[in-house]
Structure formats: structure tokens, C-alpha cells
Amino acid sequence: MLTRLRLKSFKSWPDTGDINLRPITGIFGTNSSGKTSLIQALLLLKQTADSPDRSLVFNFGDRKTPADLGDFHSTVHGHDANGLLDMAIDWKIDRSFKVVNSKNANQVVTDSEQLGFRIQAAQIVREMAYRVGDATFGMRRRSGNKPQYELFSDGTDFSFVHTMGRKWPLPAPTKCYGFPDQARAYFQNAGFVADLELALEERLKDVYYLGPLRAYPERQYTWTGAQPSDVGQAGEFVVDAILASRERGDKISRGRGYKRLTLEQYVAEWLKKLGLIHDFRVEPLAEGSPVFEVKVRRTSEAAEVLITDVGFGVSQILPVLVLCFYVPDRSTVILEQPEIHLHPAVQAGLADILIDAWKKRQVQVILESHSEHLLHRLQRRLAENEVNEEDIGLYCCKAGRTCSNITRLELDEFGNIANWPQNFFGDQFGEIAAMSKAAQQRKRDRAS
């Protein structure tokens, strides 16, 4: 699970400070307040790790990637040509990561479930480092005109030892996070750095993203046996995911004493709970056909129709539901405005879906949202003790004159927010007061 994010000189953020990421992390705020940039930073690291081009420091993306940031100049705060992108993330792993002394396997240098990564870079890497507990291992650029690097370690008495006769400087890192092959060749005890890279890549591989603009439903879907890793940035692979899960025989546990359900059954159950439809199923056009239809019934008495013939909201929440229960356990799901096109009651129900995904499958959710209904349901479930205070992190972003600002909302065990920002969701009381005042004036005008 991702546990911390910090950005410096990234888009509208000179410094976010430490953002503690919880099992359910909600980022709220006005338009152009920097919310999306926080998500884009995580996606930038993910798509860089996914890129086959090892020479790129960052893969700033294009229309096909989750984040399209343009280039370094467009991404660095204030478009400062001399600026440095500074990004740090922490995450927790299931098994402790050990660094042992290569000369004495019984001597543990550091041992922790808490890992971290930090990168400072412009067009080239200035410094990159991994943290294991309190120990840090990394590379930094040497002073001078040539792009030469050296290894370093902090927080422990460990030091990298040169291989005899190979006291040469190192070339630049691969991408923004990889130690070059020479690091293991030039140093006797640097073999473990490859495991650090792998730990980061594995964590980023299990980050999945669903954007705000989701695909329209179709009358027919063709499936040729594809096994997608997720539902696609716009939910375009949602039916492929359902069918892939069906073919694999995946089942979702509902807890002790309850029958395990297929993904399709579980999605249908949730859609029914939300009051959207009564029945949901995906079936082939004919036996053995690769063409499938998504059929639903609005009520128990209604006729069965295609998903294209019911309200648009069903097709918009479907990718959210499928993604949360399709990705591997302990994944991180990033949702951008999941409430779009949904009725307020269904927006509130979204919070219950996210809580269920965490409790059933330990799926972490980071969402950017404008929905007060979703927020209020999270507060209610906290008050009802359906979720723990430590499981929810809420933040509010605001746009300043030259930069963005972020405030952690102080949430107590009863669901109360102690530092509720003024006009967080608009001036509701002001609107009601103005309406009442106008109504009284109109009554007086009529009376006179």
C-alpha cells in the first residue's frame, strides 16, 4: 500500500508537504486547485516504469498514457528552466525487506516493511535514492560538466565497497529510478540494489487508473479471450475483464458463512444494492459466439433489455465496480471523479463500494472528487464504526495566486471534520438565506 506522497516544484505545487495516503484517500477542492496534479505525479512514475525506453528520465506521456504532462518545462513549477522535479513516495510491503552484509550473511544492515523512493531531476537525474526503514541507498551526480555518478548510503554504517581495479565513476541511472548495470559490477556489495528497483516496479505495476471520461455502453462486445490487466483508462475493457474473470473461475469472498461469488455476480449484487437495476448478466449472442451482450432488468417485473437501453449511470459506475474487484488484492486504484453522471444517492453508495473493496480485498483507493454526497457517506460510515479512523484520509486543495495549497481535513472517530473549509462545497446556507429573503420580498410586493 502507498503510504506517503510528497512533491516539490511539480506543476502548481512548490511543496505539498507530506501527504499521508490511507486505504481510502479522498482529494477534494475547486477546479484548477491542483488535485489532478497529485494523481498525475503517481501516474508519471507508473508510466515511466512501464515504458520500454530505458533512456528516458521520465515518460511524460501522450494521449495514449494515463497522464499527458507534455515535457519537463510544462511540468516543473513556474516553468523554471533551472528547476528540479522532486518527488517522493513511501509504501509498505507484506514481507520485510532485508539488506545483509555480503561478506557476512548473518549481519543484517537494515530490515523493514517500510520502503521509500525519492527522485530529484531536471533533464537528467540529480539524485535518486531508496529508503529501507531508516537507511538510505542511492546515486547522486558528481560535480562537473560530465554526467558522472556515485553511490551513497545514509542512516547506517554500511558503505559501498569498490571492486578491485574498478574505481570508475558510474553512468547515469536508467530511467529515473534504476541503478545502471555498472553499479553491481564496480562494487562488491551492491547486488541488492536490483531488488530495490524491483520492489518499486512491483508497487507501481499494481497501481491502476480510471479516468473521468468513461466509454459509452455498446450494444455488442467482441471478446477473443483477452485477459486485460484492468478495465482501461475509460473503462473500455470492462466487459473483457468480466469475461476474463469468468474464464479463470475467479471468486470473491463475502466473508465467513457466505457463498463466494463470481465477479459478474458480485457486480450484479452491488448494482441492485445501489437501486440501479435488478438483474445484470453478460451472455454470448449465440453459443460459442465471440460476440456478447450486456443485459439488464430495471425491476423484477420489467423486461430484459441491453445496457444501452437503461440510464447512462449504470454504464458509468460499472467500470468503477469492476476495477475495484478485478485487480489483484492489495492493489492501488486511482479514480478521477468517479461520481460523474451519477445520481446523488449513487454517489453516496460509491463510498460503500470503496469501503467494501478495502475490507474484502485490501484494495487501496485514491480518488479525486467533487462529490459532497460521497464525502458525507464516508463520514457516516466512520461514525457507524463501519470503517476505522485510520483508514480514511481526506484533503482539500485550494488555488492561490501563484501556487496550490493543501489542507488535511481533521476527521475524528465520529465522522466530524474539525477544520471544515469555508464554502467547501459552495455557500449552501447563503443560497437558502438568499432564496428566503427573495421569497419574502416577493410576498411583500404582492401584498402592496
Side-chain angles (χ1 to χ4, degrees), residues 274-413:
L274 294 170
L276 289 170
I277 57 175
H278 186 271
D279 292 327
F280 170 92
R281 62 193 179 99
V282 181
E283 67 171 19
L285 201 58
E287 186 174 350
S289 173
V291 180
F292 290 79
E293 295 177 324
V294 179
K295 294 187 174 182
V296 299
R297 278 195 303 164
R298 181 68 185 83
T299 66
S300 58
E301 294 82 18
E304 191 174 58
V305 298
L306 296 179
I307 192 172
T308 51
D309 299 326
V310 295
F312 192 56
V314 176
S315 64
Q316 297 303 288
I317 196 171
L318 186 61
V320 178
L321 259 172
V322 174
L323 181 62
C324 287
F325 296 96
Y326 177 76
V327 297
D329 291 359
R330 304 180 187 279
S331 296
T332 295
V333 168
I334 297 175
L335 302 175
E336 193 171 350
Q337 298 182 45
E339 73 276 4
I340 285 181
H341 298 300
L342 298 181
H343 183 275
V346 182
Q347 293 182 33
L350 265 175
D352 291 327
I353 293 172
L354 307 185
I355 292 171
D356 190 42
W358 168 249
K359 293 172 74 172
K360 294 282 199 313
R361 310 185 62 239
Q362 297 289 285
V363 170
Q364 178 186 30
V365 178
I366 301 171
L367 67 132
E368 180 221 323
S369 176
H370 295 284
S371 175
E372 60 181 307
H373 307 286
L374 190 158
L375 173 61
H376 292 330
R377 178 61 60 85
L378 287 175
Q379 292 176 268
R380 171 185 167 184
R381 294 304 186 222
L382 184 56
E384 294 172 342
N385 204 28
E386 291 293 322
V387 65
N388 296 323
E389 185 181 356
E390 302 79 28
D391 293 339
I392 298 179
L394 302 176
Y395 292 89
C396 175
C397 297
K398 287 188 177 182
R401 288 188 175 183
T402 60
C403 63
S404 297
N405 301 288
I406 188 167
T407 301
R408 183 181 66 84
L409 300 182
E410 298 172 6
L411 192 65
D412 66 20
E413 62 181 315

Side-chain angles (χ1 to χ4, degrees), residues 199-216:
L200 177 62
E201 288 177 337
E202 288 180 342
R203 180 62 265 173
L204 293 174
K205 181 188 70 175
D206 284 337
V207 173
Y208 300 91
Y209 168 73
L210 180 64
L213 303 176
R214 270 148 252 153
Y216 281 78

